[in-house]
Amino acid sequence: MSDDKQHFKVSKHKDYLYVIKENISVVHPAYRNDPLNMYLLLGTHTALLLDTGCGLYPLKPVVDELIGERNLLVFNTHAHWDHVLGNEEFGEVYIHTKEVNFINRPYDMSYLKDSPCEIVKKYEEKNFLIPPARNINILKDGNVFDLGEINVKIIHTPGHSPGSICLLTSTGELFTSDVAYYGDQFLPKRKDFPKVLITLSKLIELCEKQKDLELYPSHRKYPCDKTLLTDLYNGIKNIKNLWDTKKAFDFFYAWQIDDIKFRYYISR
Ligand SMILES: [Zn+2]
């Protein structure tokens, strides 16, 4: 098999749900949240791809093989590099209005210039400027998309980033993007923690109303349940008690704090 095909690991999780996994640590060892999970939902007439990955190898042929004759919608959960660098392969990409300005221009990956990883040459070939999607559409809180026998609803969940979204399906899945996963957490400055906590409470409330919801995070383990949200909520609440243990982590220009369940990188 070629490198292209080996790079992505595709698995059929349900009749209508594929997971396309990509290891992101291949670009720099500081990224430890392997794998990135991209999700592909198949409705009867439309497919929905959630995120486009690191842009190292062609993703579209992998997706095309799975969706048959269906139309394809492509959403970015947010504009961080590991979720958007494949955008250029797709004609049209949807993102929350607050993050359009990160993906409507070439994406600057020059901070990886000194990476010890060979694969970064793929970015170097593009002068570390990864081209954007040709067309960008806006997502808003409450938007509903009909895929044919599956509806998906957009929930705006700011905190991890200003325009982060989660996706709630009529079939009982909650795609939590980078708002919640078991892995290293990238958090905003401490003064913005209330935003993160409000978002997590909103999702916890949703899980209390809809008890059988399955959570599908954009990194590492899936499916998860409500415990992921409460673990993260309690962990972030407790950071103030661990503040004296913080270490500077310059690659992310962040403070690093560890507890039993998570590592937190907090913007400085
Ligand atoms: Zn991510």
Side-chain angles (χ1 to χ4, degrees):
M1 227 192 307
S2 68
D3 283 356
D4 297 34
K5 287 260 160 80
Q6 276 178 341
H7 182 70
F8 298 109
K9 300 264 180 297
V10 178
S11 57
K12 187 174 186 170
H13 186 68
K14 296 183 181 183
D15 280 345
Y16 56 88
L17 177 60
Y18 282 89
V19 189
I20 305 171
K21 293 175 202 148
E22 181 172 31
N23 279 347
I24 66 167
S25 60
V26 293
V27 308
H28 196 287
Y31 295 107
R32 309 191 314 161
N33 289 331
D34 282 340
L36 167 82
N37 304 319
M38 289 174 274
Y39 294 104
L40 182 68
L41 272 166
L42 301 182
T44 52
H45 55 71
T46 302
L48 169 58
L49 173 67
L50 201 53
D51 289 328
T52 63
C54 305
L56 295 164
Y57 291 98
L59 173 65
K60 191 167 181 294
V62 177
V63 172
D64 284 346
E65 215 166 279
L66 300 170
I67 67 172
E69 297 298 303
R70 294 172 182 84
N71 301 320
L72 177 65
L73 291 170
V74 182
F75 292 0
N76 292 153
T77 56
H78 63 298
H80 289 164
W81 71 276
D82 49 327
H83 300 258
V84 303
L85 292 187
N87 282 357
E88 64 163 317
E89 287 181 76
F90 301 92
E92 204 170 61
V93 173
Y94 288 74
I95 194 164
H96 189 270
T97 174
K98 289 212 164 144
E99 299 198 10
V100 170
N101 285 342
F102 297 99
I103 66 155
N104 63 3
R105 61 198 70 186
Y107 207 101
D108 186 358
M109 293 299 287
S110 58
Y111 67 95
L112 287 179
K113 266 187 185 138
D114 298 324
S115 168
C117 302
E118 188 73 3
I119 206 162
V120 165
K121 290 215 170 83
K122 287 189 170 283
Y123 294 143
E124 194 176 5
E125 283 162 16
K126 299 175 178 176
N127 291 323
F128 292 99
L129 289 171
I130 317 306
R134 282 167 299 224
N135 294 295
I136 295 166
N137 285 314
I138 301 291
L139 292 173
K140 284 188 186 142
D141 186 65
N143 283 164
V144 175
F145 294 81
D146 176 8
L147 311 181
E149 287 176 20
I150 307 172
N151 284 340
V152 298
K153 188 172 141 190
I154 306 298
I155 309 173
H156 181 213
T157 48
H160 174 75
S161 70
S164 278
I165 55 152
C166 292
L167 233 69
L168 179 64
T169 66
S170 55
T171 37
E173 294 88 14
L174 177 65
F175 294 92
T176 61
S177 68
D178 278 8
V179 170
Y181 54 82
Y182 281 110
D184 297 352
Q185 302 296 313
F186 293 89
L187 296 172
K189 287 186 189 308
R190 244 181 110 182
K191 69 170 175 48
D192 289 324
F193 280 11
K195 285 183 195 158
V196 181
L197 293 170
I198 288 168
T199 281
L200 289 171
S201 327
K202 191 162 96 174
L203 296 179
I204 290 168
E205 218 172 279
L206 186 68
C207 290
E208 276 160 6
K209 261 192 249 159
Q210 223 177 309
K211 293 249 181 317
D212 50 359
L213 270 188
E214 291 178 327
L215 274 52
Y216 290 86
S218 291
H219 291 275
R220 294 197 184 175
K221 184 187 161 215
Y222 66 86
C224 299
D225 61 25
K226 197 186 87 178
T227 319
L228 163 63
L229 300 170
T230 48
D231 281 350
L232 192 54
Y233 183 93
N234 294 332
I236 294 171
K237 270 244 166 204
N238 190 47
I239 284 176
K240 60 177 188 301
N241 301 319
L242 302 174
W243 196 248
D244 291 344
T245 68
K246 69 182 186 300
K247 293 180 277 191
F249 194 90
D250 289 331
F251 183 73
F252 295 133
Y253 199 66
W255 297 115
Q256 179 194 327
I257 289 177
D258 293 5
D259 69 13
I260 297 167
K261 290 190 170 141
F262 299 99
R263 167 168 291 175
Y264 307 92
Y265 291 113
I266 302 145
S267 223
R268 287 212 298 259

